[in-house]
Amino acid sequence: APVSEYCKKINFKGELIYANSWVNVNLKKDFNRLHDHPHSFLSGVLYFKVPKKSGRIVFENPAWWLRSFWPHEAFKTRGIYTSGEWVFDVEESMLILFPSFLRHYVEPNEVDFDRISIAFNNDFIHKGGPRNSNDKLQLPSFNDVMEFEVQPDGNLEFPK
């Protein structure tokens, strides 16, 4: 599926601030284990050098298990909302942004050429300042930044 099918509108009620970044150089047989990015809100990766067969990025659908409990036809078929993983063939100059809680991994590099990317994290300051005066930075709840509803057919409806 095109990347645009995975992307939906996000209404931020606050400010994103830079947290940190690092360079990934994956040599032959290198990979990145399943992980997430704790203590941040929005993460991303920018690809600079991507030889063919140097590894795709794979995101774990955090709600894939719902299809076992939701007795609706929409969850009995595989799609972007119900599949267990979302796999992306990456290319040079591609930028992927994702919520930091989304677990992901990178497949092994199968070739003798380096795959090079820069990854980064951003934090979020809630509009109006921190909700807890003891905290300098307050991460939002899901409802603070996302607006959607579940339709009768089981699909998620996002505001236009």
Side-chain angles (χ1 to χ4, degrees):
V3 172
S4 61
E5 289 188 30
Y6 294 85
C7 302
K8 301 297 176 189
K9 179 180 179 181
I10 298 175
N11 293 320
F12 286 102
K13 297 176 182 175
E15 179 184 351
L16 281 175
I17 57 171
Y18 169 80
N20 54 28
S21 60
W22 59 96
V23 175
N24 293 303
V25 179
N26 289 71
L27 310 174
K28 186 173 184 178
K29 298 184 181 180
D30 285 352
F31 62 94
N32 299 85
R33 292 177 180 240
L34 184 64
H35 66 282
D36 60 13
H37 296 233
H39 312 295
S40 57
F41 178 73
L42 183 70
S43 297
V45 60
L46 176 61
Y47 291 90
F48 286 96
K49 187 175 175 188
V50 185
K52 293 202 182 298
K53 297 188 177 187
S54 64
R56 303 175 299 179
I57 190 166
V58 181
F59 293 93
E60 183 181 71
N61 180 350
W64 67 269
W65 54 270
L66 281 176
R67 64 183 172 179
S68 299
F69 301 102
W70 198 319
H72 199 281
E73 289 300 314
F75 283 93
K76 293 180 181 172
T77 59
R78 289 182 64 86
I80 63 171
Y81 299 112
T82 57
S83 62
E85 295 181 328
W86 302 313
V87 181
F88 290 92
D89 291 308
V90 296
E91 302 171 359
E92 290 177 9
S93 301
M94 181 181 276
L95 172 66
I96 297 179
L97 298 174
F98 54 93
S100 301
F101 68 81
L102 197 58
R103 291 166 34 113
H104 56 285
Y105 64 93
V106 178
E107 298 173 330
N109 183 352
E110 299 177 14
V111 296
D112 284 321
F113 301 98
D114 301 349
R115 179 183 61 242
I116 302 173
S117 62
I118 292 181
F120 57 90
N121 291 319
N122 289 290
D123 286 328
F124 184 88
I125 297 178
H126 191 269
K127 188 174 183 179
R131 285 185 238 144
N132 179 344
S133 61
N134 296 328
D135 296 334
K136 182 178 177 190
L137 177 68
Q138 179 65 46
L139 296 179
S141 71
F142 188 76
N143 291 332
D144 286 336
V145 296
M146 297 293 290
E147 297 176 8
F148 71 92
E149 60 184 69
V150 178
Q151 297 300 304
D153 63 2
N155 288 317
L156 299 179
E157 174 77 17
F158 290 82
K160 303 285 185 236

